[in-house]
Amino acid sequence: MPTLFPLWDVVTGVALVFTGAKQADGGHPQVVQRVTEAIPVLAAATLNDGVDGVYNGILRGCGLQGRSAAINLLSNWGVGLPLALLLGFVEGQGIVGFWTGRAVSLLVANITYYIITCRIDWEALARKELHMESDLAAASLFSAAPPPGRLSA
C-alpha cells in the first residue's frame, strides 16, 4: 500500500501541470501561481522520498536500523526543518520554501545512505547471514523427519 502514495503524488502532479493548476481552489490566481511554483519542488521531494524508503529498507535488512534512524533524525531535524523555516518564513518563500527544506533534507539523507550502502561488505554480510541460518537450522526444535514410530501426515 505505501507504494501507491508516491504514484498518486506523481499522477496528481502531472495532472496539475497539464491543467495549469486551474482547478485548485476554483482557479484563484494567487493559489494557481503558488501551486505552479511548488510543483517542481514537490516532484523532487516525492522522488527523493521514494528513494529514501528504499534505502531505509536496505539498511534495515542489513541490521543497520540505528544508523538509518540517526540519518533520518539529523537530515530532517538538523537540515530540513531549519532550512524550511529559513526559506519559508525568513526569506518569505512560503510553501515553496517549506517543501524545498523537505526536498533538501531527503537529498542529504539519500546521499548519506548511498555512501553507507557503497561501503557495506556484501560478501561478509551474506556469509554472516548464511552462518546464522545454519545455526538456526541446527538449533531448531522441529526436524524435517517425523519422530520414530510416527507416520508423517
Side-chain angles (χ1 to χ4, degrees):
M1 186 68 149
T3 57
L4 295 178
F5 291 113
L7 177 62
W8 176 253
D9 289 343
V10 170
V11 169
T12 305
V14 168
L16 286 172
V17 167
F18 284 114
T19 62
K22 291 183 176 135
Q23 301 303 319
D25 194 36
H28 192 278
Q30 289 178 332
V31 173
V32 170
Q33 178 186 358
R34 298 306 287 173
V35 169
T36 303
E37 291 170 0
I39 286 174
V41 178
L42 290 168
T46 300
L47 177 66
N48 276 309
D49 193 32
V51 173
D52 183 74
V54 171
Y55 276 127
N56 272 306
I58 291 170
L59 292 183
R60 202 174 319 134
C62 294
L64 300 172
Q65 300 91 326
R67 212 173 270 184
S68 178
I71 292 167
N72 278 325
L73 181 73
L74 293 173
S75 67
N76 288 317
W77 292 93
V79 175
L81 183 63
L83 184 61
L85 294 175
L86 175 73
L87 295 175
F89 289 122
V90 177
E91 296 296 321
Q93 292 182 13
I95 192 76
V96 174
F98 300 141
W99 277 104
T100 300
R102 175 70 176 141
V104 169
S105 74
L106 287 165
L107 183 62
V108 167
N110 288 339
I111 290 170
T112 308
Y113 288 140
Y114 175 77
I115 292 168
I116 289 172
T117 304
C118 287
R119 292 182 176 187
I120 292 174
D121 185 352
W122 295 101
E123 295 293 327
L125 192 63
R127 284 191 302 275
K128 177 182 170 188
E129 182 62 31
L130 287 173
H131 179 69
M132 287 179 10
E133 187 177 302
S134 65
D135 287 349
L136 187 62
S140 177
L141 298 175
F142 304 101
S143 70
R150 287 198 157 179
L151 296 175
S152 62

